Amino acid sequence: MGTTQAEMTIPSHSSFSVMEKPTFSIPAKKMAMWLFIIADTATFAGCLVAYGFLRNGTPDWPRPFHSITNLALMTFILLTSSLTMLNGVRAARAGDRARALRWTLITAAAGILFALLHIREWMSLINEGMTLFKNPWGTGLFGATFYSITGLHLTHVTGGVIALVVVGLRYKAGRYNADDLEVLGLYWHFVDLVWMFVVPFVYLLNLAH
Amino acid sequence: MTAEAQKSRSMSKDLMVYVCLLVLAGIQFVIAYQSISPGQMFTRMLVVAVIEASLALLFFMHLADNRGLLWFVVIFNVFVLLAMQFGWTDAFRLSSGVPWAK
């Protein structure tokens, strides 16, 4: 008598435990996000390394970028969005749902602004004659690698913006908790982190001097 | 330490990391306008990018608070990144002939 339901169904000498300590002491959802981030790092690294091989092995690699204003603005916006995401997660941890939603939506707005600036830049390059397979300055590989890498990043930003809005609203409605917002925050910081490598290698090394 | 003081300390730490990241990003832009060889430029930019990524990982993604996870992420990623470097000799061969060939 006096035993709980769990003690009755699982013998005390069993090698299994109902309350097994989670891997690295973090919740399963967070661990899943870290595994996704590790896999996605390999994806982006694969793209950037392949880009490096091609750039190094191609003599007529173009250097078409003249202005860094748009790029600097995009970088500033994305870095700032990481800070606003941190504020959102902090507010969620404090249990302030309205404030957490506000910061999450500000982060999403920064993501939208970043994507619009990115698309504007793409349109200007397309108008100059740069497509996936050819450009007026040199090897056609440049367009293929540029659009692939920046496109993959833009896809991540777009997906992140959608997730920010959905998770933010569901958190406000009480369907998600602060952990869910923190897991999404990890993803958003990762998108920011990838940009730190895309900027120097895809843009700045191809500045016209 | 009270919860409010802890929150304020965490906010100021995040703000400091954010400013560092902005400065480092600025440094990358400055490097892009230096009159140095592409190899030197690449190396300098890579060093700055790795510092930026480390700051983001440690403080924004809170890996500094979980040493086990930090080692897991670092070891796995470093292994994958090193494994991707096997093709560089071929990349050089395409532009300047078989390396070390007479």
Side-chain angles (χ1 to χ4, degrees), chain A residues 117-127 130 146-152 154 203:
Chain A
L117 287 171
H118 213 323
I119 290 165
R120 188 183 74 162
E121 183 197 41
W122 272 22
M123 295 312 291
S124 126
L125 287 168
I126 290 167
N127 287 336
M130 187 173 125
F146 175 82
Y147 286 124
S148 301
I149 295 170
T150 56
L152 183 64
L154 187 57
Y203 288 91

Side-chain angles (χ1 to χ4, degrees), chain A residues 97-138:
Chain A
R97 287 183 183 267
R99 200 171 141 85
L101 175 68
R102 199 162 53 240
W103 280 115
T104 306
L105 292 182
I106 290 171
T107 308
I112 291 169
L113 194 56
F114 174 89
L116 289 175
L117 287 171
H118 213 323
I119 290 165
R120 188 183 74 162
E121 183 197 41
W122 272 22
M123 295 312 291
S124 126
L125 287 168
I126 290 167
N127 287 336
E128 285 181 52
M130 187 173 125
T131 65
L132 265 178
F133 305 108
K134 63 180 172 57
N135 63 69
W137 313 294

Side-chain angles (χ1 to χ4, degrees), chain A residues 52-170:
Chain A
F53 290 168
L54 292 169
R55 192 187 190 283
N56 199 48
T58 311
D60 61 338
W61 194 265
R63 301 179 81 164
F65 301 117
H66 293 277
S67 168
I68 55 162
T69 315
N70 197 56
L71 181 65
L73 191 59
M74 285 160 72
T75 306
F76 175 75
I77 289 168
L78 206 59
L79 281 174
T80 307
S81 76
S82 261
L83 190 69
T84 57
M85 188 73 230
L86 285 167
N87 285 341
V89 172
R90 194 177 295 110
R93 284 262 166 256
D96 191 343
R97 287 183 183 267
R99 200 171 141 85
L101 175 68
R102 199 162 53 240
W103 280 115
T104 306
L105 292 182
I106 290 171
T107 308
I112 291 169
L113 194 56
F114 174 89
L116 289 175
L117 287 171
H118 213 323
I119 290 165
R120 188 183 74 162
E121 183 197 41
W122 272 22
M123 295 312 291
S124 126
L125 287 168
I126 290 167
N127 287 336
E128 285 181 52
M130 187 173 125
T131 65
L132 265 178
F133 305 108
K134 63 180 172 57
N135 63 69
W137 313 294
T139 177
L141 283 169
F142 177 74
T145 51
F146 175 82
Y147 286 124
S148 301
I149 295 170
T150 56
L152 183 64
H153 185 264
L154 187 57
T155 308
H156 278 70
V157 172
T158 311
V161 166
I162 295 166
L164 281 167
V165 174
V166 171
V167 175
L169 290 174
R170 288 187 175 192

Side-chain angles (χ1 to χ4, degrees), chain A residues 24 38 42 45 80 86 90 209, chain B residues 10-11 14 18 32 66 76 84:
Chain A
F24 301 119
I38 289 170
T80 307
L86 285 167
R90 194 177 295 110
H209 285 286
Chain B
S10 144
M11 273 174 78
D14 290 344
Y18 166 71
N66 192 329
F76 196 92
M84 282 180 186

Side-chain angles (χ1 to χ4, degrees), chain A residues 9-77:
Chain A
T9 49
I10 299 172
S12 58
H13 61 269
S14 167
S15 58
F16 299 102
S17 169
V18 177
M19 300 299 285
E20 191 178 342
K21 201 180 166 199
T23 316
F24 301 119
S25 305
I26 57 173
K29 275 186 276 192
K30 207 169 173 182
M31 188 65 208
M33 180 53 82
W34 270 111
L35 291 175
F36 169 77
I37 286 171
I38 289 170
D40 221 22
T41 303
T43 307
F44 274 106
C47 289
L48 284 171
V49 170
Y51 159 78
F53 290 168
L54 292 169
R55 192 187 190 283
N56 199 48
T58 311
D60 61 338
W61 194 265
R63 301 179 81 164
F65 301 117
H66 293 277
S67 168
I68 55 162
T69 315
N70 197 56
L71 181 65
L73 191 59
M74 285 160 72
T75 306
F76 175 75
I77 289 168

